[in-house]
Amino acid sequence: PPPLLLFHCQPIIPDLLMSPSDQGDGDLEMEYPEDRGNWTGKLDFLLSCIGYCVGLGNVWRFPYRVYSNGGGAFLIPYFIMLAICGIPIFFMELSLGQFSSLGPLAIWRISPLFKGVGMGTILIVSLVAIYYNMIIAYVLFYLFASLTSNLPWQHCGNWWNTELCLDHHVIKAANAATPFNLTNTVSPSEEYWSRYVLHIQGSSGIGDPGRIRWNLCLCLLLSWVIVYLCILKGVKSSGKVVYFTATFPYFILIMLLIRGVTLEGAWKGIEFYLTPQFDHLLSSKVWIEAALQIFYSLGVGFGGLLTFASYNTFHQNIYRDTFIVTLGNAITSILAGFAIFSVLGYMSEELGVPVNQVAKAGPGLAFVVYPQAMTMLPLSPFWSFLFFFMLLTLGLDSQFAFLETIVTAVTDEFPYYLRPKKAFFSAIICIAMYLMGLILTTEGGMYWLVLLDDYSAGFGLMVVVITTCLVVTRVYGIKRFCRDIHMMLGFKPGLYFKACWMCLSPAMMLTLLVYNIVKYQPSEYGSYRFPYWAEVLGILMGLFSCLMIPAGMVVAVLREEGTLWERIQQASRPTMDWGPSLEENRTGMYVATLAGSQSPKPLMVHMRKYGGITSFENTAIEVDREIEEEEESMM
C-alpha cells in the first residue's frame, strides 16, 4: 500500500496508555506533587506531627489543669475526651490531607461552597504564629541570661528591684526561726520578668505601648531567622530539623524529672499533682477543661496536621500514626507534670508554703515560678539553661508547622507562580509577621500578647472544626469519605470513627463553643483589666475568622450559573479535579476525572498502564462494585 495509507494505519495509543515521556511537551506534563515536594522518609512525618502536637502547653498548661481539676481523677475525662474528640478529628485531618495532597485552602475542592473555612483557618494560624514566636523570643532571652555563673533573677538588689523584693534565702532563714509575713512581697524572679524583661512599668496599659525593648526586638528577629532557615526548603529541611527538635526535649525532660524526684519535698508536689478527687467528676467544668486541653494540645483545626499529611505518599499508614502521636502526646503531658510538680514540691518545702501557692499556669510558670525554683538548685545556671533549651525546641517545631501551613496553603492556590519561588515567598511571610509582631516587643507588648492568646484561636477555631466535620460527613458524605480512606489505606474506618465523626465529635465541639460563650470572661493580666475597646477588638478578631465562611459561600455561589438553589448545589459538589493528586493513585471512580479517560473500562486501562493489579487496585474494584450496587438499588 502507499506510504500515506501505511501512516493512517498506525494504531492510535490512548492517552492513558502513554508514558509521561510519550506525551510530549503539553501542559499536562507538569507534575504538581513532584514540584511540591514530599517527606524524604516516613519518620520525618511522624516526628513532625509529634513536634507539632507536643508544645509549650504540655509543660505549662496541662499539669496545672490536672491539679486544679481533681488531680488523678482528671485523667478519666481527659482520656475519654481524647477518644471522643482528639483521635477521630486527628485522623480525619490526616486523611483529608494525605488523600488529596493539598493544603488547607486547596483542600476545599472537596466542596468549594465552604472554602471560607480554609480562609478562616489561615487567618487563625497567622495570628497565632505572630504571638507564638514572641514567646519563643522570651525563651531565647532567658536562654542567653542563663549563660552566667549566677542567674540574674537569683537575688534582690538590682536596679529593677523594688523594696517589696524578697528572695528565698531570707524566707528560709526566717522560717527556721519565726514565721515570716509574705504579704505584699515579690520574688526576684517575678520582678526580673515584669520589670526587667518586659519593663511593663513603662506602659500604663494596652493603649500605651511605650518604647520598643530592643533586646526583645533582637530576640524576636533571631527567632524568625531560625524559623525561616528551618523551613527554607519546605518539608525537606524542616523534616530533618525535627529529628532534633522533636526528640531532644524528651532527653531534657527525663533529666529534669530524675533531678526533680531526688529533691527534698518532691513527693509532696507529686502527691498534690495526682491525688484523685473523684467528686470533681460531677462538675461539668472538669469535663469541659479536659476537652479543651485535648482540643488545643493536639492542634486540630489549625491546618498543621492536614499540611503535614499532604506531603505523605498516598498509602502511608496514618491510622497507626494517629494513635502513636495522640497517645504519645498524652503520655508526654503526664510525664511533664511529674517533672514540673516534683520541682514545685521542693520549692514548697524550701519556702515553707503550700504547693498551691507556688503552682501557676501559663507564662507565669515558665518565666517566674520555674526560674525561681532553678535558683534553689546547685548548678542553677546549668538546669536553667536545660529548661529553657527544652522550651525552645518544644516551641520551634510547633512554629514550623504554623509557617508551613500558611506557605503551603497559598502556594497550592497559585502553584505556577509561587512554587518555583517558595523560599522567597517564605521570606516575605516571615518578614511581614516579624514587622506585625514588633508591637509585642514594646513595654506594653504583654497586654497585646494576652489579647491575641485569648481571642485569636478561641471560638473561631471551634467553628472551623465543627464546620469541617459537618461538611465532610453531611455534604461530601460519610460513605464517600470512608471509601476514599478504603482506597488509600486498604480498609474502611470502623463504627467508632463513623459515630464520632457523625455525632459525638461535633456535639462535643458545639458544647465547648456554647460553654465558652456562656462562661465568657473579659481578658485580664494580673490585676490589669482590659478596656472595653480592647475587648471588642478581641471579639472581632475571633468573629472575623468565622465571617470568612459566609463570605466564601457568597463568592462560590456567584461563580456558578443557574438559579440560586442550582448554584448552591453545584458549589457544594467536589470539583472535577478533586481526588488523589498523582495519576497513578487515581483508581476506581477517580480515573474518570483524568484526561483521555473516555475508555469504557478506564480502571482496567489505568491498571495496565501502571503495572497490573495490586492490593490497592483490588480495593478500587471493590469500591466501584459498591457504587454500582448502590446505584442499581436506588433505580
Side-chain angles (χ1 to χ4, degrees), residues 102 109 574-580 586 593:
L102 297 172
R109 292 176 191 172
T575 60
M576 283 299 295
D577 57 349
W578 166 253
R586 281 183 173 266
T593 62

Side-chain angles (χ1 to χ4, degrees), residues 143-374:
L143 191 70
F144 296 138
S146 301
L147 299 173
T148 56
S149 55
N150 291 305
L151 295 174
W153 57 85
Q154 189 162 359
H155 300 290
C156 300
N158 303 289
W159 67 261
W160 58 82
N161 294 124
T162 65
E163 63 276 4
L164 299 177
C165 183
L166 187 66
D167 69 47
H168 73 278
H169 300 292
V170 177
I171 299 172
K172 189 177 181 183
N175 283 336
T178 56
F180 199 90
N181 184 13
L182 297 176
T183 308
N184 294 326
T185 62
V186 183
S187 67
S189 63
E190 188 166 348
E191 288 201 332
Y192 179 81
W193 164 243
S194 62
R195 295 181 59 81
Y196 179 70
V197 179
L198 301 178
H199 204 264
I200 205 165
Q201 67 271 20
S203 168
S204 59
I206 192 169
D208 174 32
R211 295 170 299 175
I212 286 180
R213 299 282 292 151
W214 289 106
N215 43 14
L216 288 180
C217 186
L218 292 174
C219 285
L220 182 62
L221 177 62
L222 177 60
S223 62
W224 276 113
V225 169
I226 293 171
V227 170
Y228 173 69
L229 292 176
C230 292
I231 67 163
L232 180 60
K233 294 183 179 178
V235 293
K236 290 188 183 299
S237 56
S238 65
K240 295 307 175 190
V241 175
V242 292
Y243 276 81
F244 177 76
T245 57
T247 56
F248 196 69
Y250 286 96
F251 290 106
I252 301 178
L253 194 61
I254 290 168
M255 288 177 68
L256 290 172
L257 176 61
I258 293 171
R259 182 69 186 107
V261 296
T262 57
L263 295 170
E264 185 181 355
W267 293 106
K268 184 194 296 185
I270 292 173
E271 182 183 12
F272 189 80
Y273 167 54
L274 283 182
T275 300
Q277 301 167 44
F278 292 105
D279 57 304
H280 279 63
L281 298 181
L282 300 175
S283 167
S284 60
K285 175 180 175 291
V286 174
W287 292 83
I288 296 293
E289 288 278 340
L292 283 171
Q293 179 61 31
I294 288 294
F295 189 79
Y296 290 109
S297 179
L298 291 178
V300 293
F302 287 96
L305 298 171
L306 194 148
T307 300
F308 283 161
S310 73
Y311 290 102
N312 276 344
T313 56
F314 189 69
H315 299 303
Q316 166 88 1
N317 190 353
I318 48 173
Y319 181 79
R320 174 200 59 203
D321 295 342
T322 294
F323 286 96
I324 291 174
V325 177
T326 53
L327 294 177
N329 176 66
I331 293 167
T332 303
S333 298
I334 296 168
L335 187 68
F338 280 105
I340 296 296
F341 270 86
S342 61
V343 175
L344 295 185
Y346 166 71
M347 191 175 175
S348 165
E349 184 81 12
E350 285 283 295
L351 299 177
V353 297
V355 178
N356 63 348
Q357 289 187 22
V358 295
K360 290 183 180 180
L365 174 67
F367 301 117
V368 177
V369 177
Y370 218 77
Q372 183 185 355
M374 295 297 102

Side-chain angles (χ1 to χ4, degrees), residues 601-622:
K601 298 288 184 183
L603 178 59
M604 298 311 295
V605 175
H606 180 77
M607 289 189 297
R608 283 171 60 193
K609 174 181 174 181
Y610 290 106
I613 297 178
T614 67
S615 61
F616 290 105
E617 269 85 30
N618 276 328
T619 299
I621 292 170
E622 289 176 27

